[in-house]
Every structure is written in C-alpha cells, then in structure tokens.
Amino acid sequence: MNSLSSQICGSLSHFVAKNTALRLVSRPDIGHKGTNDRRTLPVTDPATTPDSTWKLTLELPLEVTSAFEELLYAQGDDPIPTIATFEIPERPEVWTFEAYYVNRPAEDRVRQALGFLCDMYQLDMPAFVIEEVEQRDWVAESQKILKPVKTNRFFIHGSHDADKVPADRIALQIEAGQAFGTGQHGTTHGCLRAIEDIAEQGQPHNILDLGTGSGVLALAMAKIWDSPVTASDIDPIATETTIENAEINHVKLAASAEDKTGVFALTADGFDDPELAGRGPFDLIVANILAGPLIELAPEMARHLTADGRLVLSGLLDHQQERVLDAYRAQGFSLEKEYALGEWRALTLKRV
C-alpha cells in the first residue's frame, strides 16, 4: 500500500472512530484515475427507480477526489451514492465531483466530511450544491446523446443504431456505461484516426492499449490486425467491460497471458505489473489517458516499446501538447503526426 493510501486509510479509521454515527463501507470498484470523463449514467429500472434523486456537486483537486469518495462512503448511506468525476478543460487544477443519492444528503454531514478532508490536505472549504435531479430514463437519454461515430474505417454505435451500419465500415457496438470510451470523445476519435493511418503502413506484431476503458481501441485494432492485443486498465470494471464488449463484437479473447492470439484484458497498475510487462515488448502502444500520466510514463513507454515501434498518445489538450512532447523527446521520440479535434489532441510518435 502506498503512502497516500495508508494516509487515507489511517485517517478514515480515525474519522469513523470519532464519529460513532458513521460506519465504514466497502468502496465499489469504480475507478476515476487516468480518464477524461468516467461519468456513470444511473440505470433506470421502472420497478426499482426511486421517486427522487439528489445530486451533490462541488469542485476538488483531482488528487483528493478518491479520499473524499471514501469519506462519503464511510457515512453509511444506504444505498451508497454513485460517484462521478470529470475534468474541467479550462481549469485543469480542479475536477468536478458529483455524488448521486436516493435520499437528500444532510448538509451538516457533507460539511463534516469536507471539513475532515480540508484538514487532512490543508484545503479551503469548497462551496457545494445539493439539488434534486429530474427523473429520467437514462438509457434513452444516453441513446439520444451517443450518435454513431464514423471514421474512414470504423462505425462506432450503440445497439439502438445497429441497423445503420454502412456496408463499407467496420462496426463496433459500444454502449454507454461505467467505463470511459464510446468513440464520442475527441481523444478516442483521434486515436481511431491514428490507428487507421498506421494500418496503411503495415501490421504491428504485438499491441498494447494502455488505459483501455471500454476496450473500444483494443477491439478496433483487433478488428483490423491479426495480432495479439493487450487491453490493460487500472480499473477492474474497465477490464470486465472490455471482455463484455469483445463478446458483443465477436472479437476473440485470449485464454491466458501465455495465449498470443486475440485480446487479453488485464487489470494492472501500469508496467510495474509483471503480467503486463511480460506481454511486451510492444511495437505499438496506444495510451488514451491524461497528460500528467503520459508524462510520468514516458521512460516506461520507451523501455517497453521495440526499436521500430510507434506510440499513439491521447487524452491531452492543445496547451498540454508541448509538455507531453518534451517528455518523449527526452526519451528519443519525435512527432510523426498530430490529430486535432477541437481542443483535444492525439499524437503519433516514433523513435528518432
């Protein structure tokens, strides 16, 4: 356990001990690190949908969002709140934090948890809003929002658009859900374009999708290349979602780490995981995460890429591009091609 985890666990134990009205609740395996938007849409079941939903909204530094999530879970609400965190592009120092409740959360308990968080990290008390959310059929809402995404080779769609697949496109059915990546986001779209361009130049022999999310990029690569694809994510829900999406899209799954065919979905905390490292070296690594982790991972990326390999990096904004490139230039890489979709960027790099 790292020092931050130890600090959080120790502090939470103290928090619970001091507040006898609270009980520590196991945290669900919902990951938020290394993504651009992992918002989870509530599932609507007419038989079980509550009469109302309440939303707590505030802004926090990314590095403390997991700690605040733990503090809210420790308050013992039944059912526990659903958490969503997502980036504010124009203000990268803070993220929006949302918690959805069946019952209205008590303001004094929210302030209590925030006060403890602020004491622990020497933060000013942030403003927060508690509001009732209109009841909706979230599945229908997601279908309205998630229109099909078409690139030169691919057609990414939900099940509601399965009848609209053009004959000249490779179809991938990806539903809105718990893991990031439906093809809608500019970063995912940029990666798909980069993959298409690389495909014009040949076939990689060993591929890694680092931070796979829904698995959309891993599955896209498995559709166009008959090469092993490792789909890795720190979040076990992402791994499960990738497996489900592979089955939906009739993509072969590797039976084990030793199986060098199909897609191997792996829950791993980066290249420190021996199972992930053992699948390398890779001649194509696609990483659609965030600028900060991309910069930190530059030495490891270089170490696990073959001499003639390529990197596709995304999850960065236009103003972050030079910092990311500087980190990879220091490892002997140069920019091969840039893909711009609004303020988002995807980059293809090769060794100098």
Side-chain angles (χ1 to χ4, degrees):
M1 181 179 293
N2 60 35
S3 59
L4 177 59
S5 298
S6 299
Q7 179 185 357
I8 291 172
C9 291
S11 299
L12 279 171
S13 298
H14 179 64
F15 182 64
V16 174
K18 284 184 63 180
N19 297 274
T20 55
L22 304 181
R23 61 184 174 85
L24 187 62
V25 180
S26 297
R27 177 183 173 188
D29 289 324
I30 301 176
H32 305 290
K33 295 195 293 182
T35 65
N36 302 306
D37 183 351
R38 294 186 98 95
R39 188 187 296 241
T40 301
L41 295 176
V43 176
T44 302
D45 180 348
T48 60
T49 299
D51 293 334
S52 62
T53 299
W54 293 86
K55 180 174 72 170
L56 165 67
T57 307
L58 64 154
E59 294 178 357
L60 291 171
L62 175 61
E63 60 268 21
V64 307
T65 55
S66 292
F68 187 55
E69 186 176 340
E70 297 284 3
L71 291 168
L72 293 184
Y73 289 145
Q75 293 189 320
D77 291 277
D78 186 14
I80 59 176
T82 296
I83 306 297
T85 58
F86 53 99
E87 190 176 19
I88 305 172
E90 64 275 12
R91 296 171 59 211
E93 71 278 5
V94 293
W95 281 44
T96 296
F97 182 103
E98 295 178 347
Y100 291 85
Y101 293 81
V102 171
N103 302 306
R104 191 185 198 283
E107 291 188 22
D108 59 341
R109 298 182 73 198
V110 173
R111 287 196 183 91
Q112 182 185 38
L114 277 173
F116 188 78
L117 183 81
C118 292
D119 288 345
M120 186 162 52
Y121 291 99
Q122 289 78 55
L123 303 174
D124 293 331
M125 176 71 74
F128 63 88
V129 175
I130 297 173
E131 58 187 331
E132 190 170 8
V133 179
E134 176 188 355
Q135 288 300 298
R136 298 178 184 177
D137 181 343
W138 290 104
V139 173
E141 290 295 318
S142 69
Q143 291 177 350
K144 291 177 188 175
I145 295 169
L146 298 177
K147 303 298 183 183
V149 173
K150 187 188 297 184
T151 64
N152 288 338
R153 290 189 180 219
F154 298 104
F155 187 84
I156 316 296
H157 64 91
S159 57
H160 56 289
D161 284 317
D163 59 341
K164 298 181 177 65
V165 179
D168 61 345
R169 295 294 190 278
I170 298 170
L172 281 172
Q173 181 176 313
I174 307 290
E175 306 295 349
Q178 291 175 304
F180 172 75
T182 60
Q184 295 286 329
H185 199 276
T187 59
T188 310
H189 197 281
C191 288
L192 288 170
R193 289 172 53 192
I195 290 165
E196 290 173 340
D197 286 346
I198 292 171
E200 296 295 325
Q201 303 173 46
Q203 175 169 330
H205 302 292
N206 194 22
I207 304 166
L208 170 62
D209 178 14
L210 185 67
T212 194
S214 67
V216 60
L217 297 177
L219 301 182
M221 291 185 285
K223 285 279 189 177
I224 60 174
W225 290 311
D226 185 20
S227 299
V229 181
T230 302
S232 170
D233 203 288
I234 193 173
D235 182 358
I237 285 184
T239 308
E240 294 167 7
T241 303
T242 296
I243 292 170
E244 292 169 3
N245 284 332
E247 293 169 347
I248 289 170
N249 289 282
H250 309 291
V251 173
K252 182 184 184 302
L253 287 164
S256 67
E258 291 72 35
D259 185 354
K260 301 300 183 181
T261 61
V263 172
F264 180 64
L266 173 65
T267 302
D269 191 2
F271 292 105
D272 289 339
D273 186 285
E275 198 167 17
L276 175 58
R279 297 274 297 179
F282 305 95
D283 55 350
L284 175 59
I285 299 177
V286 178
N288 181 18
I289 44 180
L290 289 174
L294 285 174
I295 291 169
E296 293 174 10
L297 284 167
E300 289 294 308
M301 294 276 212
R303 190 172 299 120
H304 292 275
L305 188 75
T306 60
D308 59 347
R310 280 187 171 86
L311 298 175
V312 175
L313 309 180
S314 195
L316 59 143
L317 295 161
D318 49 4
H319 69 271
Q320 300 169 325
Q321 177 171 323
E322 280 308 307
R323 287 194 295 119
V324 172
L325 283 174
D326 284 346
Y328 284 84
R329 287 177 183 132
Q331 301 297 324
F333 291 94
S334 64
L335 177 63
E336 184 175 40
K337 191 165 183 178
E338 169 190 337
Y339 302 84
L341 288 98
E343 61 193 347
W344 295 100
R345 296 292 181 271
L347 312 173
T348 300
L349 308 182
K350 61 180 181 180
R351 295 188 191 271
V352 177

